[in-house]
Amino acid sequence: MAAERLHLTVSARYRLKLLSRGPRQYGPEDYQCKALSRRGLIAPLPDPSADGTRRWAITEDGLTVLQSYIQPIRTVARQPERSAMIPQERRSIDDSAG
């Protein structure tokens, strides 16, 4: 697999995500399965059903590409609001003002 990140549509990434959880069954004319298969990201399992559907599984290359789209979670320290950082004088309610 090339070091560069392959461009995948959102629906293709979602399909890979579903297949990463386990093999799934799709119809014989599913265009997205055919396209992902041509790129080597998924492969059909050898047991076609009687109704023509096939079970598909993600390949190692498919997992690698899917992982390249997952952003690492960054924990950023929450910055206090600016007003909380500026010391403020205590205010009291003065009934005589007014």
Side-chain angles (χ1 to χ4, degrees), residues 16-60:
L16 286 178
K17 185 177 176 182
L18 288 175
L19 288 169
S20 71
R21 297 176 184 159
R24 295 179 63 93
Q25 201 155 345
Y26 293 101
E29 296 300 318
D30 190 295
Y31 74 92
Q32 198 167 57
C33 285
K34 290 179 181 180
L36 291 172
S37 177
R38 281 192 299 269
R39 295 173 99 173
L41 303 178
I42 65 173
L45 296 178
D47 55 346
S49 299
D51 62 355
T53 59
R54 285 203 95 138
R55 289 175 50 87
W56 294 84
I58 193 166
T59 63
E60 288 296 322

